[in-house]
């Protein structure tokens, strides 16, 4: 909860101060948050699979994935708003929306939450995590010139 309050204060400061260093800080914070959310989603989706070390018989609640998808959408909106002030690449700007759609799709589609859907969701989240790291590293130079 304190992190949400701090992040909210940072967003308020961004649009109140209108300063390039604050935009850069928000850019890094938003991208690291997206990275953490995607990795957490991969762990939650794969917790149903019996061959992973963090296997749980009942698994973790798939409802958490919907909650994480909402947060991904929020960070996507923040990155879209930041793209007006700093140079953010188009793939990096729309990756949170794609992640939210894929993660929601892996929860909404199955009626029985079959292992194939679980593997699809966890692999999609891991691939999106790797793509997020690569795009963040490539775009980092453009933002901090």
């Amino acid at each position: 909860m304190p992190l949400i309050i701090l992040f909210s204060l940072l967003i308020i400061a961004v649009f109140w101060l209108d300063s390039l260093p604050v935009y850069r800080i928000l850019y890094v914070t938003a991208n690291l948050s997206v990275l953490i959310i995607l990795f957490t989603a991969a762990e939650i989706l794969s917790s149903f699979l019996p061959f992973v070390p963090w296997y749980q018989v009942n698994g973790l609640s798939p409802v958490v994935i919907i909650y994480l998808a909402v947060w991904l959408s929020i960070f996507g909106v923040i990155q879209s708003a930041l793209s007006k002030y700093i140079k953010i690449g188009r793939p990096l700007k729309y990756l949170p929306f794609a992640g939210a759609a894929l993660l929601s799709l892996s929860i909404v589609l199955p009626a029985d939450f079959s292992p194939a859907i679980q593997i699809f969701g966890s692999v999609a989240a891991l691939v999106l995590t790797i793509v997020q790291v690569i795009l963040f590293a490539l775009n980092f130079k453009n933002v901090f010139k």
Side-chain angles (χ1 to χ4, degrees), residues 46-112:
S46 62
S47 69
F48 291 95
L49 302 171
F51 53 83
V52 295
W54 52 89
Y55 170 70
Q56 295 181 2
V57 177
N58 295 329
L60 296 172
S61 176
V63 176
V64 176
I65 297 298
I66 302 298
Y67 176 73
L68 293 177
V70 169
W71 275 106
L72 278 174
S73 299
I74 290 170
F75 286 118
V77 169
I78 290 170
Q79 285 187 354
S80 295
L82 275 176
S83 69
K84 296 176 184 174
Y85 303 107
I86 58 177
K87 186 177 180 183
I88 298 177
R90 187 176 296 174
L92 187 61
K93 188 169 43 173
Y94 296 121
L95 185 80
F97 296 117
L102 276 175
L103 294 178
S104 298
L105 190 65
S106 67
I107 295 298
V108 173
L109 275 184
D112 60 348

Side-chain angles (χ1 to χ4, degrees), residues 120-141:
F120 164 75
S122 53
V123 168
L126 282 175
V127 167
L128 285 172
T129 303
I130 293 168
V131 169
Q132 171 72 21
V133 168
I134 292 169
L135 291 176
F136 179 63
L138 291 175
N139 201 43
F140 193 78
K141 291 183 235 174

